[in-house]
């Protein structure tokens, strides 16, 4: 099975890039299943219509992160959809769900977990490591392959999760920092791993934001509410080649340019 994961979609520009490139990337890579992080589609959060657009572009599952509830309109949508995942280790009364089991190719059952880190984040979710243990234990025998996204700020926390789930998950990938890392690998016990799969959105930007606004913030200048940058975009992610016994053969970074017409 080939799993394609796509990094944080930023703004309408990122959604447009998905529509322009994702189906061709799926065809060229032979991807069987696609997971897209959509938590920045509305800048801070995602709207229901934007989630629908991401599915229309070719996603099978949408994951979220620290901006999961940035747009309150998404709350009833989360409760009605099992294929949109907010972090599993948020407060138990949070709307939506943090994991799901989905039909993959050749009858494979795919357990997908969406986790959020705790290092340098602005609020205190539950321990993501213990949460992953609980999800795997509760669903033992009900899935063939486990997959985990860790939406976290600290590279150390993501790396630790990759090794913690080594041999128990087929793939672990990081999101949130919007910068694609060059450390794709297969860990010693067979888990594919990459610290961050990057961002889907404007190339000439600072994490998707207009360059001049980001510079102004770091200078200490007064600036208006952040706006998504303009210009050509990229779709960034990673491709995991996974065997039926839940091991990963290889991890390949994905980065494709979308020229805005």
């Amino acid at each position: 099975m080939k799993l394609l994961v796509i990094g944080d979609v930023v703004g309408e520009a990122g959604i447009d890039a998905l529509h322009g490139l994702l189906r061709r990337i799926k065809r060229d890579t032979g991807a069987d299943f696609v997971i897209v992080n959509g938590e920045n589609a509305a800048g801070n959060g995602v709207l229901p219509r934007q989630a629908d657009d991401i599915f229309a572009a070719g996603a099978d599952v949408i994951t979220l992160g620290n901006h999961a509830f940035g747009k309150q309109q998404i709350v009833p949508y989360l409760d009605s959809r099992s294929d949109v995942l907010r972090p599993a280790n948020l407060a138990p009364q949070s709307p939506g769900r943090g994991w799901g089991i989905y039909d993959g190719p050749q009858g494979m059952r795919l357990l997908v977990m969406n986790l959020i880190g705790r290092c340098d984040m602005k609020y205190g979710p539950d321990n993501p490591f213990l949460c992953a243990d609980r999800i795997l234990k509760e669903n033992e025998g009900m899935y063939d392959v486990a997959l985990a996204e860790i939406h976290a700020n600290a590279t150390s926390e993501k790396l630790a999760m990759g090794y913690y789930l080594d041999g128990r998950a087929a793939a672990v990938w990081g999101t949130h920092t919007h910068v694609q890392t060059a450390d794709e690998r297969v860990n010693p016990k067979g888990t594919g791993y990459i610290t961050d799969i990057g961002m889907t959105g404007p190339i000439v930007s600072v994490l998707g934001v207009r360059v001049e606004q980001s510079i102004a913030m770091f200078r200490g200048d007064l600036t208006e509410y952040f706006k998504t940058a303009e210009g050509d975009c990229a779709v960034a992610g990673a491709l995991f080649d996974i065997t039926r016994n839940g091991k990963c053969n290889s991890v390949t970074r994905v980065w494709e340019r979308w020229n805005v017409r």
Side-chain angles (χ1 to χ4, degrees):
M1 180 191 80
K2 291 187 177 181
L3 168 71
L4 177 64
V5 295
I6 299 296
D8 307 41
V9 176
V10 178
E12 294 292 341
I15 295 174
D16 289 344
L18 271 188
H19 276 279
L21 290 176
L22 184 53
R23 293 195 182 278
R24 180 178 65 75
I25 294 172
K26 288 174 65 176
R27 182 177 66 250
D28 291 349
T29 60
D32 301 296
F33 198 83
V34 180
I35 301 173
V36 176
N37 185 292
E39 74 142 6
N40 292 121
N44 182 353
V46 59
L47 296 167
R49 65 169 178 79
Q50 294 172 322
D52 288 340
D53 279 347
I54 293 172
F55 282 122
D60 294 297
V61 170
I62 295 174
T63 54
L64 303 174
N66 57 305
H67 297 309
F69 311 125
K71 302 299 180 187
Q72 288 299 302
Q73 299 96 316
I74 200 66
V75 169
Y77 190 92
L78 291 178
D79 283 332
S80 68
R81 299 289 300 242
S82 62
D83 48 4
V84 182
L85 302 177
R86 48 81 171 166
N89 51 317
L90 296 182
Q93 71 270 26
S94 299
R97 57 187 301 170
W99 58 268
I101 298 176
Y102 308 98
D103 294 330
Q106 291 84 51
M108 296 175 71
R109 299 168 298 171
L110 310 179
L111 170 63
V112 181
M113 296 182 281
N114 187 192
L115 305 168
I116 195 166
R118 299 195 296 179
C119 296
D120 298 324
M121 301 300 256
K122 293 183 179 179
Y123 55 94
D126 193 9
N127 188 306
F129 293 82
L130 301 182
C131 180
D133 285 341
R134 184 170 62 251
I135 292 170
L136 292 175
K137 183 176 180 180
E138 289 176 355
N139 292 283
E140 188 173 1
M142 300 174 65
Y143 65 91
D144 302 301
V145 174
L147 311 167
E149 176 178 323
I150 172 73
H151 191 84
N153 201 38
T155 54
S156 57
E157 191 172 19
K158 297 178 189 181
L159 282 161
M161 183 65 74
Y163 287 116
Y164 189 67
L165 293 178
D166 192 16
R168 297 193 288 162
V172 177
W173 63 96
T175 55
H176 179 63
T177 62
H178 290 206
V179 177
Q180 191 179 64
T181 55
D183 63 340
E184 67 275 15
R185 69 187 74 166
V186 177
N187 282 338
K189 296 180 183 178
T191 294
Y193 174 81
I194 181 171
T195 296
D196 202 286
I197 58 175
M199 178 193 83
T200 295
I203 297 170
V204 180
S205 71
V206 179
L207 311 186
V209 173
R210 292 181 179 181
V211 171
E212 62 274 16
Q213 286 189 302
S214 184
I215 292 173
M217 179 193 69
F218 285 113
R219 277 175 46 90
D221 300 338
L222 296 177
T223 184
E224 59 183 333
Y225 183 78
F226 281 165
K227 295 179 180 178
T228 303
E230 298 176 344
D232 293 349
C233 294
V235 172
L239 183 74
F240 296 85
D241 185 1
I242 297 168
T243 66
R244 286 194 65 87
N245 64 355
K247 304 295 182 182
C248 186
N249 289 322
S250 64
V251 186
T252 306
R253 274 177 286 148
V254 172
W255 193 95
E256 293 279 349
R257 188 183 192 104
W258 173 247
N259 296 316
V260 176
R261 295 174 176 83

